[in-house]
Amino acid sequence: MTFKETAVDIAIVGGAGHVGLPLALAFANKEQKVLIMDINPQAIDCIKSGKLPYQETNGEVYLHNALKQNHLFFSTDPASIQHAKTVILTIGTPVDEFLNPDIRAVQNCIDDLSPYFQKGQLIVLRSTVFPGTTDWLGDYISNKGLDIEIAFCPERVVQGQVMEELHSMPQLVSGLTPMAEQRAGKLFELLTDELIYLSPKEAEFAKLFTNAYRYIRFATANQFYMMAKDAGLDYYRIHEAVTRNYPRMGDMPRPGFTAGPCLFKDTMQLSAFAKNGFSLGQEAMLVNEGLPLHIVEHLKTEYGPALKTKTIGLLGMAFKPECDDIRSSLSYKLKKTLALYTNQILTTDPFVTVDPTLSPLEYVIENSDILILCMPHQCYRTLNIAHKKVIDVWGIYS
């Protein structure tokens, strides 16, 4: 319902986004009155109508129930947060063009909201932040003369599966004071049975370590793939040989485009904290970002000048399978690089709705000389494309 000046339990700033909205729905389905405060009126109108602005498994079920129970409120006005007991900020620290963390997004958010903070409120940082940001926020708030509790409780869920994982996974909880930690714990125990308490900086590192570790693991598989490809070998025969019935290698990932809004960014934040001494993370970035370039180089070697006459079709433009999110997708990096060497590039994706240049799958297959499987959506696994030249980094056709 449209927000009126009435008390709510939780206000989520950026509540219509990928981090904020599933959390809002989860709390609203636990009998909490939740205010979604977001500067995107189109997204808010979409949510009000009972639809999600992006894909989230079972998300619309939670949304419909929350709307039916009148547990959701909406506003684009920062002043609306003054009526909440707890304010959750889904603003993190991105990296800038120099791959250094940029705290200005958090600072600007606080500056916009500070006239409306109320004594005794709890502020919870939810998105990934550079180590030390929670402590910095405590000092920044204090210097503004505000008496507010500060907590950091990072999200650790997989996009698209948030509604299940919010309730099944442990929640990391930290606060600048024992009271902030206690209040944050009581809040998140509404969602999950297991809470893990850390200091704020420990929690900040825990989130960054998680994403950087995954990024490095994927880089290992991508490096192995490129080495085998350069040697003229079938990587997937090797992968099958080293993983089948051999438990010490059973979790070895397959190669593929490793991107999205978190893994690269968080690895670079750790690198910046280590004063560019995080060599594993830096090498992982070079490997993962280099995979599309490796594909282009092999095409140039195979076709030579004739590549200029070819039409190439890219299958899957989202940053991960079964997803509609194109943020930081390496499919677009590949598209941009290929544009220098080919006649035409066609793109398709069954989930993406924000790219007007996409074409229907059948059209792309029919009119492409070469197909590149950029993202292994399930619907691509049974395609009849044996008559086409196909580049399949993921190995689903092997």
Side-chain angles (χ1 to χ4, degrees):
M1 64 179 64
T2 302
F3 181 73
K4 298 179 181 179
E5 293 188 5
T6 184
V8 294
D9 298 298
I10 303 164
I12 301 183
V13 178
H18 288 276
V19 175
L21 181 54
L23 190 64
L25 299 181
F27 279 126
N29 278 265
K30 292 295 183 178
E31 305 300 318
Q32 298 294 291
K33 293 182 179 179
V34 181
L35 168 66
I36 292 177
M37 203 294 284
D38 202 289
I39 61 174
N40 186 341
Q42 291 79 21
I44 285 182
D45 288 342
C46 178
I47 298 165
K48 283 182 178 180
S49 72
K51 298 180 181 179
L52 298 184
Y54 51 83
Q55 288 187 326
E56 183 62 51
T57 302
N58 293 326
E60 289 196 355
V61 175
Y62 278 78
L63 174 58
H64 293 161
N65 187 61
L67 292 172
K68 182 179 179 180
Q69 298 298 322
N70 293 325
H71 288 157
L72 283 182
F73 303 82
F74 304 89
S75 178
T76 58
D77 183 1
S80 60
I81 68 161
Q82 63 189 299
H83 304 287
K85 300 174 186 176
T86 297
V87 179
I88 299 178
L89 305 182
T90 63
I91 310 299
T93 51
V95 291
D96 61 19
E97 66 272 26
F98 305 108
L99 302 183
N100 292 319
D102 187 353
I103 205 170
R104 287 176 296 178
V106 176
Q107 183 173 341
N108 291 341
C109 177
I110 295 300
D111 289 341
D112 290 341
L113 297 177
S114 59
Y116 312 110
F117 285 133
Q118 301 297 308
K119 180 178 180 180
Q121 279 182 322
L122 172 69
I123 296 178
V124 178
L125 287 173
R126 184 65 175 166
S127 295
T128 311
V129 295
F130 183 72
T133 298
T134 310
D135 289 309
W136 169 86
L137 178 59
D139 292 337
Y140 195 67
I141 288 289
S142 179
N143 290 337
K144 286 180 173 288
L146 299 170
D147 183 11
I148 294 174
E149 299 286 356
I150 308 291
F152 175 58
C153 304
E155 56 88 16
R156 298 193 299 160
V157 289
V158 173
Q159 187 172 316
Q161 301 296 325
V162 179
M163 304 318 304
E164 190 276 326
E165 292 195 349
L166 275 173
H167 302 293
S168 63
M169 294 177 59
Q171 172 63 54
L172 305 184
V173 176
S174 70
L176 290 181
T177 65
M179 177 60 71
E181 181 182 276
Q182 181 183 28
R183 290 178 64 181
K186 286 188 174 298
L187 181 67
F188 281 97
E189 70 183 6
L190 294 172
L191 304 183
T192 184
D193 294 332
E194 187 175 1
L195 305 178
I196 301 174
Y197 290 93
L198 298 168
S199 71
K201 189 167 286 188
E202 286 173 335
E204 291 165 346
F205 270 106
K207 176 58 190 290
L208 292 172
F209 282 171
T210 299
N211 281 350
Y213 178 70
R214 294 182 64 228
Y215 195 64
I216 291 168
R217 287 183 72 243
F218 295 140
T220 301
N222 286 336
Q223 182 81 84
F224 287 166
Y225 168 82
M226 288 187 280
M227 291 171 65
K229 183 75 172 177
D230 289 342
L233 302 175
D234 183 341
Y235 172 80
Y236 297 99
R237 284 173 54 84
I238 303 171
H239 184 275
E240 166 70 9
V242 300
T243 58
R244 184 169 54 172
N245 298 326
Y246 191 63
R248 287 184 289 280
M249 292 295 289
D251 63 347
M252 179 181 176
R254 287 186 163 225
F257 286 178
T258 305
C262 296
L263 300 188
F264 170 90
K265 170 182 68 71
D266 292 352
T267 303
M268 292 303 97
Q269 291 203 76
L270 276 180
S271 180
F273 182 86
K275 300 178 177 61
N276 291 340
F278 183 28
S279 57
L280 275 175
Q282 291 167 325
E283 288 299 323
M285 180 269 289
L286 295 176
V287 171
N288 288 331
E289 291 288 313
L291 183 55
L293 307 180
H294 184 266
I295 293 172
V296 173
E297 287 303 307
H298 270 268
L299 283 172
K300 289 166 60 180
T301 299
E302 181 175 354
Y303 289 94
L307 188 59
K308 278 286 187 180
T309 69
K310 303 297 182 183
T311 295
I312 297 182
L314 305 185
L315 307 182
M317 303 305 289
F319 84 83
K320 71 173 187 175
E322 312 306 307
C323 175
D324 61 351
D325 193 346
I326 64 172
R327 289 179 297 169
S328 301
S329 170
L330 287 181
S331 299
Y332 287 94
K333 179 173 184 173
L334 176 61
K335 178 183 178 182
K336 183 183 293 186
T337 306
L338 280 171
L340 300 172
Y341 307 105
T342 61
N343 173 54
Q344 185 181 18
I345 301 169
L346 303 175
T347 59
T348 188
D349 192 293
F351 299 107
V352 174
T353 60
V354 296
D355 183 352
T357 69
L358 298 182
S359 299
L361 174 61
E362 295 78 10
Y363 179 85
V364 173
I365 293 174
E366 180 181 351
N367 292 279
S368 297
D369 302 304
I370 305 166
L371 295 173
I372 301 178
L373 181 67
C374 297
M375 201 48 55
H377 297 312
Q378 285 292 331
C379 62
Y380 293 155
R381 294 177 180 268
T382 56
L383 292 179
N384 182 19
I385 53 176
H387 60 294
K388 291 285 184 176
K389 165 71 174 180
V390 180
I391 297 174
D392 172 20
V393 172
W394 302 83
I396 72 171
Y397 302 128
S398 298

